[in-house]
Amino acid sequence: MEDGYWISHSSDCDAKQRNPNDGQKASSASTNKQVPSLEQPSVSIEILPGGVEQWSPQASEDFPFVLVDNNLGIPQKLLYKLYLSAVALYKNADDHTILTLSPVILLANPAHQTALNARKRLVASGALQSEEELNLVALLIGGSKEFAKQSITWDHRRWLFRHLYERIEVAEAGLVAEPPGWATSEEVSLFPMIPLGTLEQECQLIRRACELYPRNYHAWVHYHWVLNVAQAVVVSNSREPPDPGFEDHIRFLRQEVSQLRGWIDRHVSDYSAVHLLCSMAMLDCAGALQLAESGRGRLVDELVGHAQGLVLCYPSHETLWLYLRNVLSLSLPNVIYDIVNQLRREHMPSVAIEKYIASLV
């Protein structure tokens, strides 16, 4: 597997550059000692602080990495050396060498658009499988917060999904609801038909990226895109009876509502999460599909209680007041009156009530 040996191969190149008169010997030793240990695909990749000597005895000159149960650790100083060697060799590299060197370049310099574009070209030509590239990018996202925060990283994943899967078929024009912030009828057919299990894994990857790099705007944009794929599958299905996967996609979207609520509970200042959850409430209000966790009633009614509870617990966080304001803006006037009165009875800051909530009345 490509995931398993690219570091080893790059280390060989670095060794040859350091000892040009003894390159064959270094390459032979590297092949004998490193490649067998990295034959299995890596479960995770992590950049470790410091150099090889700080990770002895797990890392040594013969094997300058830390490998535990296929979890690969790369000392940062070594990665930078590998990067310099990889960039030097990359200029005149053939496709096979590009496949080997570009992961090193991207791990050390996630904004290297040239390396990413080269890998797109290899996927398009069939020299690299989309599934393998998705797996590698997921490893790099999990191993580097710098890689996880790049807009080109998430754009690359969307490109791979579109390349790998067929477009969603809309059975009949005009059936797709168009709530604000979601795909229009014309755009739905541009989304790929991604398997449900893959969508679930992608959401897990996104949450991992957002843990690595808080307020990861580009990851949250990708999260919305993933949910949009599921929504497009649901609303484009006009068959009677619906396809068997129809209810599964509804359950998936409700599951993500629950995940987002839990995320906001743990990250009370993350407005990107609040914005996405409120967008799902707008989707529910538009009548395209029912996303309330109970399966009955309106999602916004559940979120009003959630937002109010968080404001009562953490009244100093502006994000939570904005959350409450957004969901109340989708509610009936009598609900807004009741919430304002309850907040005043609880002696919440009057300035915040007037600024964020009272103006809705």
Side-chain angles (χ1 to χ4, degrees), residues 26-98:
S27 178
S28 175
S30 174
T31 300
N32 291 335
K33 295 183 179 180
Q34 294 182 32
V35 174
S37 299
L38 294 173
E39 283 180 344
Q40 297 299 318
S42 300
V43 175
S44 68
I45 295 175
E46 182 177 356
I47 301 174
L48 306 174
V52 174
E53 63 281 355
Q54 292 171 258
W55 295 93
S56 178
Q58 295 101 321
S60 65
E61 290 187 4
D62 292 330
F63 187 77
F65 312 109
V66 176
L67 185 65
V68 179
D69 297 331
N70 290 327
N71 295 282
L72 181 63
I74 308 167
Q76 191 172 49
K77 290 182 179 179
L78 172 66
L79 177 61
Y80 291 157
K81 290 180 181 179
L82 291 171
Y83 173 74
L84 294 175
S85 297
V87 169
L89 293 168
Y90 189 85
K91 295 177 181 178
N92 300 309
D94 57 20
D95 287 353
H96 176 75
T97 306
I98 288 174

Side-chain angles (χ1 to χ4, degrees), residues 172-187:
E172 191 174 323
L175 292 176
V176 180
E178 300 177 4
W182 297 85
T184 64
S185 301
E186 293 76 17
E187 292 170 334

Side-chain angles (χ1 to χ4, degrees), residues 2 4 41-42 56-57 106 109 149 185 208 212 247-248 255 296 310 312 317 346 348:
E2 180 192 349
S42 300
S56 178
L106 290 169
N109 180 9
K149 74 176 185 179
S185 301
R208 165 65 174 154
L212 281 173
E247 288 297 333
D248 292 336
Q255 169 187 302
R296 300 182 301 274
L310 288 172
L312 292 174
H317 286 270
E346 294 290 341
M348 290 293 101

Side-chain angles (χ1 to χ4, degrees), residues 74-302:
I74 308 167
Q76 191 172 49
K77 290 182 179 179
L78 172 66
L79 177 61
Y80 291 157
K81 290 180 181 179
L82 291 171
Y83 173 74
L84 294 175
S85 297
V87 169
L89 293 168
Y90 189 85
K91 295 177 181 178
N92 300 309
D94 57 20
D95 287 353
H96 176 75
T97 306
I98 288 174
L99 280 174
T100 303
L101 298 179
S102 53
V104 179
I105 294 172
L106 290 169
L107 186 59
N109 180 9
H112 202 292
Q113 182 79 61
T114 301
L116 210 56
N117 285 341
R119 296 186 70 85
K120 276 191 177 74
R121 175 177 60 79
L122 294 172
V123 170
S125 69
L128 175 61
Q129 296 299 311
S130 299
E131 295 95 330
E132 293 181 10
E133 181 69 351
L134 284 166
N135 290 338
L136 177 61
V137 172
L139 282 176
L140 298 181
I141 287 172
S144 167
K145 69 177 183 179
E146 291 300 315
F147 193 84
K149 74 176 185 179
Q150 297 294 327
S151 62
I152 59 174
T153 296
W154 301 103
D155 180 73
H156 188 54
R157 289 192 73 80
R158 289 190 289 275
W159 183 89
L160 289 166
F161 282 125
R162 292 188 184 104
H163 183 268
L164 180 59
Y165 297 107
E166 298 290 335
R167 292 181 179 183
I168 294 173
E169 294 184 4
V170 181
E172 191 174 323
L175 292 176
V176 180
E178 300 177 4
W182 297 85
T184 64
S185 301
E186 293 76 17
E187 292 170 334
V188 163
S189 62
L190 299 179
F191 285 94
M193 180 65 81
I194 303 174
L196 194 57
T198 302
L199 292 177
E200 292 172 340
Q201 293 172 5
E202 194 70 5
C203 290
Q204 293 172 10
L205 175 65
I206 294 165
R207 288 190 287 271
R208 165 65 174 154
C210 292
E211 291 283 7
L212 281 173
Y213 187 78
R215 299 182 180 88
N216 192 333
Y217 172 77
H218 298 296
W220 283 107
V221 169
H222 186 66
Y223 202 155
H224 195 159
W225 182 84
V226 170
L227 299 182
N228 222 331
V229 170
Q231 176 250 357
V233 171
V234 172
V235 298
S236 65
N237 189 339
S238 63
R239 298 173 181 85
E240 291 293 342
D243 287 342
F246 177 86
E247 288 297 333
D248 292 336
H249 282 81
I250 293 287
R251 279 192 289 270
F252 164 71
L253 288 168
R254 288 176 184 157
Q255 169 187 302
E256 292 309 311
V257 166
S258 179
Q259 290 285 352
L260 286 168
R261 288 180 57 165
W263 181 275
I264 295 169
D265 288 341
R266 300 187 300 275
H267 306 82
V268 293
S269 296
D270 196 333
Y271 185 73
S272 293
V274 166
H275 182 267
L276 181 54
L277 185 55
C278 292
S279 293
M280 297 189 77
M282 294 173 71
L283 180 63
D284 181 86
C285 287
L289 57 163
Q290 196 173 53
L291 297 179
E293 289 186 75
S294 63
R296 300 182 301 274
R298 300 197 314 160
L299 173 60
V300 68
D301 296 332
E302 296 180 354

